[in-house]
Amino acid sequence: MNLEGTLRGIFLIVFLSSIVISGYYRKRARRSGQVIPRRAEGPIALLLRMAMALVVAISFLAYVFAPAWLAWSAWGLPLWLRSAAAVLAIGCLPAIRWVLVSIGDNISETILTKRTHQLVTRGPYRWIRHPLYAVALLELFSLALLASNWYLLSFPCIGAVIFRWVIIPREEANLIKVFGNEYEDYKRRTGALVPRVRL
């Protein structure tokens, strides 16, 4: 297998592994706790979520199985940077598992808060309020660098804006309704997607 084939293989393994890890813990949470159906967010949110997931999945699989389709957005990054991105992408897999183990049955398919939700402040939640979003964005970013493709890099860039300015404020409004001052205190001492820097 040539170098590009090896990089595409790593890309595919990381992408599929993260889906399997996430799917396993989400399925486990659905079996043991309350489930909020995705349609509860409304039809527009459901359609947008499905459309984005489909675009990302098709684009990522095209890079692996039909790389010529994405040749127009090839970037020409140096091998050392692509290799470092491969290591970072692989490192995202245990991080995803750590987040999902930490949140346990509180994981939801939506931004809505479960009736039985508990405020989790252990594991990565000790420093970051939304580590699952943070790790997902980091994985998308590292995979885009691994692929040396600026079109794929647009996904984590757009995702970061959507998460930070649309999804997180709506999700946290629900959490404040449920947990009140406890969540406000938690919010003051943690960062949304990266740890809060204290000077």
Side-chain angles (χ1 to χ4, degrees):
M1 184 182 287
N2 62 21
L3 178 61
E4 285 299 324
T6 301
L7 289 172
R8 283 197 295 272
I10 293 169
F11 185 104
L12 182 64
I13 289 167
V14 170
F15 180 56
L16 294 180
S17 295
S18 63
I19 291 171
V20 169
I21 292 167
S22 178
Y24 170 77
Y25 284 98
R26 288 175 188 276
K27 184 176 180 180
R28 207 164 88 168
R30 281 193 294 270
R31 278 199 308 256
S32 60
Q34 178 196 1
V35 176
I36 300 174
R38 289 189 176 127
R39 64 182 177 277
E41 290 179 300
I44 293 174
L46 180 62
L47 287 173
L48 286 174
R49 187 189 301 265
M50 290 171 59
M52 280 304 296
L54 192 60
V55 169
V56 170
I58 289 171
S59 301
F60 276 34
L61 293 174
Y63 165 71
V64 174
F65 297 108
W69 292 4
L70 296 180
W72 57 273
S73 54
W75 208 355
L77 293 176
L79 179 60
W80 68 265
L81 182 56
R82 296 178 73 189
S83 300
V87 171
L88 184 58
I90 292 166
C92 285
L93 296 176
I96 290 169
R97 184 181 179 280
W98 185 34
V99 171
L100 292 167
V101 167
S102 298
I103 196 169
D105 293 345
N106 295 297
I107 190 75
S108 175
E109 307 295 321
T110 71
I111 63 167
L112 302 174
T113 305
K114 292 181 177 181
R115 194 173 13 86
T116 56
H117 192 95
Q118 297 173 341
L119 182 58
V120 177
T121 59
R122 64 183 175 275
Y125 290 88
R126 181 177 176 187
W127 303 282
I128 305 174
R129 296 190 303 279
H130 305 279
L132 189 56
Y133 299 156
V135 174
L137 290 170
L138 183 61
E139 182 183 309
L140 291 176
F141 176 76
S142 59
L143 288 175
L145 293 182
L146 183 161
S148 187
N149 191 288
W150 62 261
Y151 166 66
L152 298 184
L153 187 62
S154 71
F155 295 137
C157 294
I158 293 167
V161 171
I162 291 171
F163 278 127
R164 187 63 189 96
W165 303 111
V166 179
I167 294 174
I168 288 174
R170 289 182 63 201
E171 187 172 326
E172 292 192 336
N174 290 325
L175 290 164
I176 289 168
K177 282 180 190 173
V178 174
F179 296 107
N181 289 337
E182 187 182 3
Y183 193 82
E184 293 281 14
D185 291 342
Y186 173 62
K187 193 174 174 181
R188 274 191 288 274
R189 66 178 187 267
T190 55
L193 292 170
V194 294
R196 187 179 294 280
V197 177
R198 300 178 193 278
L199 300 175

mmCIF file of all heavy atoms in Angstrom, residues 74-115:
data_model
loop_
_atom_site.group_PDB
_atom_site.id
_atom_site.type_symbol
_atom_site.label_atom_id
_atom_site.label_comp_id
_atom_site.label_asym_id
_atom_site.label_seq_id
_atom_site.Cartn_x
_atom_site.Cartn_y
_atom_site.Cartn_z
ATOM 1 N N ALA A 74 -7.687 19.666 -3.041
ATOM 2 C CA ALA A 74 -6.446 19.170 -2.433
ATOM 3 C C ALA A 74 -5.575 20.364 -2.041
ATOM 4 O O ALA A 74 -5.554 21.399 -2.717
ATOM 5 C CB ALA A 74 -5.717 18.261 -3.407
ATOM 6 N N TRP A 75 -4.847 20.211 -0.942
ATOM 7 C CA TRP A 75 -4.151 21.336 -0.348
ATOM 8 C C TRP A 75 -2.632 21.264 -0.461
ATOM 9 O O TRP A 75 -1.948 22.269 -0.436
ATOM 10 C CB TRP A 75 -4.544 21.416 1.115
ATOM 11 C CG TRP A 75 -4.492 22.762 1.707
ATOM 12 C CD1 TRP A 75 -4.048 23.915 1.137
ATOM 13 C CD2 TRP A 75 -4.921 23.109 3.015
ATOM 14 N NE1 TRP A 75 -4.175 24.957 1.992
ATOM 15 C CE2 TRP A 75 -4.714 24.499 3.164
ATOM 16 C CE3 TRP A 75 -5.458 22.403 4.068
ATOM 17 C CZ2 TRP A 75 -5.023 25.182 4.336
ATOM 18 C CZ3 TRP A 75 -5.770 23.076 5.228
ATOM 19 C CH2 TRP A 75 -5.555 24.440 5.355
ATOM 20 N N GLY A 76 -2.061 20.090 -0.519
ATOM 21 C CA GLY A 76 -0.612 19.943 -0.624
ATOM 22 C C GLY A 76 0.127 20.212 0.671
ATOM 23 O O GLY A 76 1.211 20.807 0.664
ATOM 24 N N LEU A 77 -0.421 19.776 1.804
ATOM 25 C CA LEU A 77 0.241 19.961 3.092
ATOM 26 C C LEU A 77 1.447 19.036 3.206
ATOM 27 O O LEU A 77 1.457 17.946 2.630
ATOM 28 C CB LEU A 77 -0.745 19.671 4.235
ATOM 29 C CG LEU A 77 -1.913 20.648 4.390
ATOM 30 C CD1 LEU A 77 -2.849 20.174 5.497
ATOM 31 C CD2 LEU A 77 -1.425 22.053 4.676
ATOM 32 N N PRO A 78 2.468 19.430 3.981
ATOM 33 C CA PRO A 78 3.656 18.574 4.135
ATOM 34 C C PRO A 78 3.323 17.275 4.870
ATOM 35 O O PRO A 78 2.410 17.232 5.701
ATOM 36 C CB PRO A 78 4.629 19.444 4.927
ATOM 37 C CG PRO A 78 3.797 20.485 5.585
ATOM 38 C CD PRO A 78 2.598 20.704 4.713
ATOM 39 N N LEU A 79 4.116 16.251 4.580
ATOM 40 C CA LEU A 79 3.889 14.930 5.160
ATOM 41 C C LEU A 79 3.960 14.947 6.682
ATOM 42 O O LEU A 79 3.173 14.278 7.350
ATOM 43 C CB LEU A 79 4.889 13.920 4.591
ATOM 44 C CG LEU A 79 4.785 12.500 5.133
ATOM 45 C CD1 LEU A 79 3.408 11.912 4.860
ATOM 46 C CD2 LEU A 79 5.874 11.625 4.541
ATOM 47 N N TRP A 80 4.886 15.729 7.251
ATOM 48 C CA TRP A 80 5.014 15.747 8.714
ATOM 49 C C TRP A 80 3.724 16.254 9.368
ATOM 50 O O TRP A 80 3.326 15.747 10.410
ATOM 51 C CB TRP A 80 6.220 16.597 9.162
ATOM 52 C CG TRP A 80 6.083 18.070 8.923
ATOM 53 C CD1 TRP A 80 6.545 18.772 7.850
ATOM 54 C CD2 TRP A 80 5.410 19.017 9.766
ATOM 55 N NE1 TRP A 80 6.215 20.107 7.962
ATOM 56 C CE2 TRP A 80 5.517 20.282 9.139
ATOM 57 C CE3 TRP A 80 4.727 18.927 10.982
ATOM 58 C CZ2 TRP A 80 4.973 21.443 9.680
ATOM 59 C CZ3 TRP A 80 4.181 20.080 11.534
ATOM 60 C CH2 TRP A 80 4.307 21.327 10.877
ATOM 61 N N LEU A 81 3.081 17.248 8.746
ATOM 62 C CA LEU A 81 1.849 17.778 9.304
ATOM 63 C C LEU A 81 0.709 16.769 9.160
ATOM 64 O O LEU A 81 -0.091 16.574 10.088
ATOM 65 C CB LEU A 81 1.483 19.094 8.605
ATOM 66 C CG LEU A 81 0.223 19.808 9.106
ATOM 67 C CD1 LEU A 81 0.293 20.083 10.609
ATOM 68 C CD2 LEU A 81 0.012 21.109 8.341
ATOM 69 N N ARG A 82 0.650 16.113 8.026
ATOM 70 C CA ARG A 82 -0.391 15.095 7.821
ATOM 71 C C ARG A 82 -0.198 13.924 8.781
ATOM 72 O O ARG A 82 -1.171 13.379 9.307
ATOM 73 C CB ARG A 82 -0.366 14.628 6.365
ATOM 74 C CG ARG A 82 -0.714 15.733 5.377
ATOM 75 C CD ARG A 82 -0.645 15.259 3.954
ATOM 76 N NE ARG A 82 -1.772 14.385 3.658
ATOM 77 C CZ ARG A 82 -1.877 13.682 2.538
ATOM 78 N NH1 ARG A 82 -0.934 13.733 1.611
ATOM 79 N NH2 ARG A 82 -2.930 12.913 2.341
ATOM 80 N N SER A 83 1.061 13.555 9.032
ATOM 81 C CA SER A 83 1.349 12.459 9.970
ATOM 82 C C SER A 83 0.967 12.850 11.395
ATOM 83 O O SER A 83 0.394 12.046 12.140
ATOM 84 C CB SER A 83 2.839 12.090 9.908
ATOM 85 O OG SER A 83 3.189 11.681 8.607
ATOM 86 N N ALA A 84 1.290 14.091 11.785
ATOM 87 C CA ALA A 84 0.909 14.572 13.120
ATOM 88 C C ALA A 84 -0.612 14.590 13.254
ATOM 89 O O ALA A 84 -1.159 14.233 14.304
ATOM 90 C CB ALA A 84 1.495 15.960 13.363
ATOM 91 N N ALA A 85 -1.296 14.976 12.178
ATOM 92 C CA ALA A 85 -2.766 14.991 12.196
ATOM 93 C C ALA A 85 -3.319 13.575 12.346
ATOM 94 O O ALA A 85 -4.331 13.365 13.021
ATOM 95 C CB ALA A 85 -3.296 15.645 10.920
ATOM 96 N N ALA A 86 -2.643 12.587 11.728
ATOM 97 C CA ALA A 86 -3.077 11.194 11.852
ATOM 98 C C ALA A 86 -2.973 10.736 13.308
ATOM 99 O O ALA A 86 -3.889 10.094 13.841
ATOM 100 C CB ALA A 86 -2.241 10.290 10.949
ATOM 101 N N VAL A 87 -1.871 11.094 13.963
ATOM 102 C CA VAL A 87 -1.691 10.728 15.375
ATOM 103 C C VAL A 87 -2.763 11.404 16.237
ATOM 104 O O VAL A 87 -3.363 10.782 17.121
ATOM 105 C CB VAL A 87 -0.269 11.114 15.861
ATOM 106 C CG1 VAL A 87 -0.139 10.942 17.368
ATOM 107 C CG2 VAL A 87 0.788 10.291 15.124
ATOM 108 N N LEU A 88 -3.027 12.685 15.963
ATOM 109 C CA LEU A 88 -4.053 13.412 16.707
ATOM 110 C C LEU A 88 -5.432 12.794 16.491
ATOM 111 O O LEU A 88 -6.206 12.635 17.436
ATOM 112 C CB LEU A 88 -4.051 14.885 16.277
ATOM 113 C CG LEU A 88 -5.008 15.819 17.023
ATOM 114 C CD1 LEU A 88 -4.720 15.819 18.529
ATOM 115 C CD2 LEU A 88 -4.897 17.229 16.457
ATOM 116 N N ALA A 89 -5.733 12.419 15.257
ATOM 117 C CA ALA A 89 -7.035 11.793 14.953
ATOM 118 C C ALA A 89 -7.198 10.491 15.724
ATOM 119 O O ALA A 89 -8.257 10.226 16.302
ATOM 120 C CB ALA A 89 -7.163 11.551 13.451
ATOM 121 N N ILE A 90 -6.144 9.681 15.747
ATOM 122 C CA ILE A 90 -6.189 8.416 16.488
ATOM 123 C C ILE A 90 -6.386 8.699 17.984
ATOM 124 O O ILE A 90 -7.145 8.014 18.672
ATOM 125 C CB ILE A 90 -4.917 7.582 16.230
ATOM 126 C CG1 ILE A 90 -4.889 7.098 14.773
ATOM 127 C CG2 ILE A 90 -4.824 6.401 17.194
ATOM 128 C CD1 ILE A 90 -3.549 6.564 14.312
ATOM 129 N N GLY A 91 -5.725 9.745 18.488
ATOM 130 C CA GLY A 91 -5.862 10.123 19.898
ATOM 131 C C GLY A 91 -7.260 10.579 20.268
ATOM 132 O O GLY A 91 -7.633 10.547 21.443
ATOM 133 N N CYS A 92 -8.036 11.004 19.281
ATOM 134 C CA CYS A 92 -9.416 11.436 19.549
ATOM 135 C C CYS A 92 -10.305 10.252 19.942
ATOM 136 O O CYS A 92 -11.316 10.450 20.635
ATOM 137 C CB CYS A 92 -10.006 12.137 18.325
ATOM 138 S SG CYS A 92 -9.369 13.807 18.074
ATOM 139 N N LEU A 93 -9.950 9.046 19.525
ATOM 140 C CA LEU A 93 -10.812 7.891 19.812
ATOM 141 C C LEU A 93 -10.926 7.590 21.304
ATOM 142 O O LEU A 93 -12.046 7.480 21.822
ATOM 143 C CB LEU A 93 -10.332 6.663 19.030
ATOM 144 C CG LEU A 93 -10.427 6.790 17.501
ATOM 145 C CD1 LEU A 93 -9.835 5.565 16.823
ATOM 146 C CD2 LEU A 93 -11.870 7.013 17.063
ATOM 147 N N PRO A 94 -9.804 7.477 22.047
ATOM 148 C CA PRO A 94 -9.984 7.281 23.501
ATOM 149 C C PRO A 94 -10.604 8.497 24.176
ATOM 150 O O PRO A 94 -11.302 8.357 25.185
ATOM 151 C CB PRO A 94 -8.558 7.013 24.012
ATOM 152 C CG PRO A 94 -7.641 7.453 22.932
ATOM 153 C CD PRO A 94 -8.396 7.365 21.653
ATOM 154 N N ALA A 95 -10.390 9.686 23.607
ATOM 155 C CA ALA A 95 -11.001 10.890 24.181
ATOM 156 C C ALA A 95 -12.527 10.835 24.039
ATOM 157 O O ALA A 95 -13.258 11.195 24.965
ATOM 158 C CB ALA A 95 -10.439 12.148 23.503
ATOM 159 N N ILE A 96 -13.008 10.382 22.880
ATOM 160 C CA ILE A 96 -14.452 10.240 22.679
ATOM 161 C C ILE A 96 -15.023 9.250 23.689
ATOM 162 O O ILE A 96 -16.058 9.496 24.310
ATOM 163 C CB ILE A 96 -14.766 9.786 21.233
ATOM 164 C CG1 ILE A 96 -14.475 10.912 20.246
ATOM 165 C CG2 ILE A 96 -16.211 9.317 21.088
ATOM 166 C CD1 ILE A 96 -14.495 10.488 18.796
ATOM 167 N N ARG A 97 -14.334 8.133 23.866
ATOM 168 C CA ARG A 97 -14.806 7.127 24.823
ATOM 169 C C ARG A 97 -14.833 7.698 26.242
ATOM 170 O O ARG A 97 -15.786 7.482 26.991
ATOM 171 C CB ARG A 97 -13.920 5.883 24.765
ATOM 172 C CG ARG A 97 -14.424 4.777 25.674
ATOM 173 C CD ARG A 97 -13.543 3.535 25.643
ATOM 174 N NE ARG A 97 -14.067 2.533 26.537
ATOM 175 C CZ ARG A 97 -13.896 2.516 27.857
ATOM 176 N NH1 ARG A 97 -13.191 3.474 28.461
ATOM 177 N NH2 ARG A 97 -14.411 1.559 28.601
ATOM 178 N N TRP A 98 -13.795 8.450 26.616
ATOM 179 C CA TRP A 98 -13.724 9.058 27.948
ATOM 180 C C TRP A 98 -14.912 9.988 28.176
ATOM 181 O O TRP A 98 -15.554 9.967 29.231
ATOM 182 C CB TRP A 98 -12.396 9.811 28.085
ATOM 183 C CG TRP A 98 -12.134 10.400 29.448
ATOM 184 C CD1 TRP A 98 -12.499 9.888 30.663
ATOM 185 C CD2 TRP A 98 -11.435 11.615 29.724
ATOM 186 N NE1 TRP A 98 -12.066 10.702 31.678
ATOM 187 C CE2 TRP A 98 -11.402 11.763 31.127
ATOM 188 C CE3 TRP A 98 -10.816 12.568 28.926
ATOM 189 C CZ2 TRP A 98 -10.790 12.854 31.742
ATOM 190 C CZ3 TRP A 98 -10.201 13.647 29.546
ATOM 191 C CH2 TRP A 98 -10.190 13.786 30.933
ATOM 192 N N VAL A 99 -15.233 10.807 27.171
ATOM 193 C CA VAL A 99 -16.375 11.720 27.284
ATOM 194 C C VAL A 99 -17.667 10.935 27.478
ATOM 195 O O VAL A 99 -18.473 11.235 28.364
ATOM 196 C CB VAL A 99 -16.480 12.626 26.035
ATOM 197 C CG1 VAL A 99 -17.788 13.411 26.042
ATOM 198 C CG2 VAL A 99 -15.292 13.572 25.945
ATOM 199 N N LEU A 100 -17.872 9.909 26.647
ATOM 200 C CA LEU A 100 -19.124 9.153 26.693
ATOM 201 C C LEU A 100 -19.267 8.337 27.972
ATOM 202 O O LEU A 100 -20.364 8.223 28.519
ATOM 203 C CB LEU A 100 -19.238 8.259 25.458
ATOM 204 C CG LEU A 100 -19.425 9.037 24.148
ATOM 205 C CD1 LEU A 100 -19.212 8.124 22.946
ATOM 206 C CD2 LEU A 100 -20.791 9.690 24.092
ATOM 207 N N VAL A 101 -18.165 7.801 28.476
ATOM 208 C CA VAL A 101 -18.206 7.090 29.757
ATOM 209 C C VAL A 101 -18.541 8.078 30.879
ATOM 210 O O VAL A 101 -19.322 7.768 31.778
ATOM 211 C CB VAL A 101 -16.862 6.378 30.032
ATOM 212 C CG1 VAL A 101 -16.760 5.917 31.481
ATOM 213 C CG2 VAL A 101 -16.686 5.191 29.095
ATOM 214 N N SER A 102 -17.962 9.276 30.801
ATOM 215 C CA SER A 102 -18.189 10.286 31.839
ATOM 216 C C SER A 102 -19.639 10.754 31.880
ATOM 217 O O SER A 102 -20.214 10.926 32.957
ATOM 218 C CB SER A 102 -17.265 11.493 31.621
ATOM 219 O OG SER A 102 -15.920 11.116 31.724
ATOM 220 N N ILE A 103 -20.243 10.956 30.717
ATOM 221 C CA ILE A 103 -21.621 11.471 30.685
ATOM 222 C C ILE A 103 -22.647 10.363 30.933
ATOM 223 O O ILE A 103 -23.754 10.609 31.391
ATOM 224 C CB ILE A 103 -21.920 12.230 29.385
ATOM 225 C CG1 ILE A 103 -23.183 13.075 29.555
ATOM 226 C CG2 ILE A 103 -22.015 11.312 28.193
ATOM 227 C CD1 ILE A 103 -23.434 14.063 28.448
ATOM 228 N N GLY A 104 -22.284 9.122 30.632
ATOM 229 C CA GLY A 104 -23.159 7.987 30.928
ATOM 230 C C GLY A 104 -24.526 8.073 30.278
ATOM 231 O O GLY A 104 -24.654 8.417 29.109
ATOM 232 N N ASP A 105 -25.567 7.813 31.067
ATOM 233 C CA ASP A 105 -26.944 7.779 30.546
ATOM 234 C C ASP A 105 -27.497 9.161 30.216
ATOM 235 O O ASP A 105 -28.588 9.274 29.671
ATOM 236 C CB ASP A 105 -27.875 7.114 31.571
ATOM 237 C CG ASP A 105 -27.568 5.643 31.748
ATOM 238 O OD1 ASP A 105 -26.850 5.087 30.897
ATOM 239 O OD2 ASP A 105 -28.027 5.062 32.740
ATOM 240 N N ASN A 106 -26.756 10.209 30.547
ATOM 241 C CA ASN A 106 -27.219 11.567 30.264
ATOM 242 C C ASN A 106 -27.083 11.945 28.794
ATOM 243 O O ASN A 106 -27.620 12.970 28.383
ATOM 244 C CB ASN A 106 -26.429 12.578 31.106
ATOM 245 C CG ASN A 106 -26.695 12.398 32.577
ATOM 246 O OD1 ASN A 106 -27.797 12.565 33.055
ATOM 247 N ND2 ASN A 106 -25.667 12.020 33.315
ATOM 248 N N ILE A 107 -26.371 11.140 28.021
ATOM 249 C CA ILE A 107 -26.181 11.466 26.600
ATOM 250 C C ILE A 107 -27.538 11.517 25.910
ATOM 251 O O ILE A 107 -28.419 10.711 26.182
ATOM 252 C CB ILE A 107 -25.238 10.444 25.907
ATOM 253 C CG1 ILE A 107 -24.845 10.902 24.506
ATOM 254 C CG2 ILE A 107 -25.839 9.072 25.838
ATOM 255 C CD1 ILE A 107 -23.847 11.976 24.475
ATOM 256 N N SER A 108 -27.698 12.521 25.052
ATOM 257 C CA SER A 108 -28.971 12.703 24.360
ATOM 258 C C SER A 108 -28.730 12.845 22.862
ATOM 259 O O SER A 108 -27.665 13.287 22.440
ATOM 260 C CB SER A 108 -29.680 13.959 24.888
ATOM 261 O OG SER A 108 -30.850 14.217 24.155
ATOM 262 N N GLU A 109 -29.722 12.485 22.082
ATOM 263 C CA GLU A 109 -29.635 12.620 20.628
ATOM 264 C C GLU A 109 -29.961 14.050 20.202
ATOM 265 O O GLU A 109 -29.889 14.380 19.032
ATOM 266 C CB GLU A 109 -30.633 11.667 19.951
ATOM 267 C CG GLU A 109 -30.532 10.224 20.395
ATOM 268 C CD GLU A 109 -29.210 9.585 20.016
ATOM 269 O OE1 GLU A 109 -28.701 9.860 18.916
ATOM 270 O OE2 GLU A 109 -28.681 8.811 20.830
ATOM 271 N N THR A 110 -30.370 14.877 21.157
ATOM 272 C CA THR A 110 -30.826 16.230 20.857
ATOM 273 C C THR A 110 -30.137 17.219 21.789
ATOM 274 O O THR A 110 -29.379 16.834 22.677
ATOM 275 C CB THR A 110 -32.351 16.341 21.072
ATOM 276 O OG1 THR A 110 -32.618 16.295 22.477
ATOM 277 C CG2 THR A 110 -33.103 15.236 20.369
ATOM 278 N N ILE A 111 -30.455 18.506 21.605
ATOM 279 C CA ILE A 111 -29.947 19.522 22.540
ATOM 280 C C ILE A 111 -30.884 19.687 23.729
ATOM 281 O O ILE A 111 -30.616 20.474 24.626
ATOM 282 C CB ILE A 111 -29.746 20.880 21.837
ATOM 283 C CG1 ILE A 111 -31.074 21.431 21.326
ATOM 284 C CG2 ILE A 111 -28.715 20.785 20.742
ATOM 285 C CD1 ILE A 111 -31.009 22.876 20.899
ATOM 286 N N LEU A 112 -31.971 18.937 23.739
ATOM 287 C CA LEU A 112 -32.930 19.022 24.835
ATOM 288 C C LEU A 112 -32.410 18.245 26.047
ATOM 289 O O LEU A 112 -31.602 17.324 25.913
ATOM 290 C CB LEU A 112 -34.283 18.476 24.385
ATOM 291 C CG LEU A 112 -34.887 19.177 23.158
ATOM 292 C CD1 LEU A 112 -36.155 18.471 22.716
ATOM 293 C CD2 LEU A 112 -35.142 20.650 23.437
ATOM 294 N N THR A 113 -32.885 18.612 27.223
ATOM 295 C CA THR A 113 -32.416 18.006 28.469
ATOM 296 C C THR A 113 -33.387 16.935 28.926
ATOM 297 O O THR A 113 -34.595 17.172 29.007
ATOM 298 C CB THR A 113 -32.282 19.091 29.564
ATOM 299 O OG1 THR A 113 -31.429 20.131 29.060
ATOM 300 C CG2 THR A 113 -31.672 18.521 30.826
ATOM 301 N N LYS A 114 -32.859 15.765 29.244
ATOM 302 C CA LYS A 114 -33.701 14.680 29.739
ATOM 303 C C LYS A 114 -34.293 15.027 31.101
ATOM 304 O O LYS A 114 -33.678 15.753 31.883
ATOM 305 C CB LYS A 114 -32.875 13.394 29.877
ATOM 306 C CG LYS A 114 -32.410 12.804 28.566
ATOM 307 C CD LYS A 114 -31.614 11.532 28.816
ATOM 308 C CE LYS A 114 -31.199 10.866 27.522
ATOM 309 N NZ LYS A 114 -30.444 9.631 27.755
ATOM 310 N N ARG A 115 -35.466 14.502 31.374
ATOM 311 C CA ARG A 115 -36.118 14.704 32.662
ATOM 312 C C ARG A 115 -35.254 14.150 33.798
ATOM 313 O O ARG A 115 -35.233 14.692 34.900
ATOM 314 C CB ARG A 115 -37.489 14.010 32.642
ATOM 315 C CG ARG A 115 -38.436 14.370 33.738
ATOM 316 C CD ARG A 115 -39.823 13.775 33.543
ATOM 317 N NE ARG A 115 -39.933 12.749 32.521
ATOM 318 C CZ ARG A 115 -39.698 11.448 32.701
ATOM 319 N NH1 ARG A 115 -39.328 11.020 33.885
ATOM 320 N NH2 ARG A 115 -39.851 10.593 31.708
#
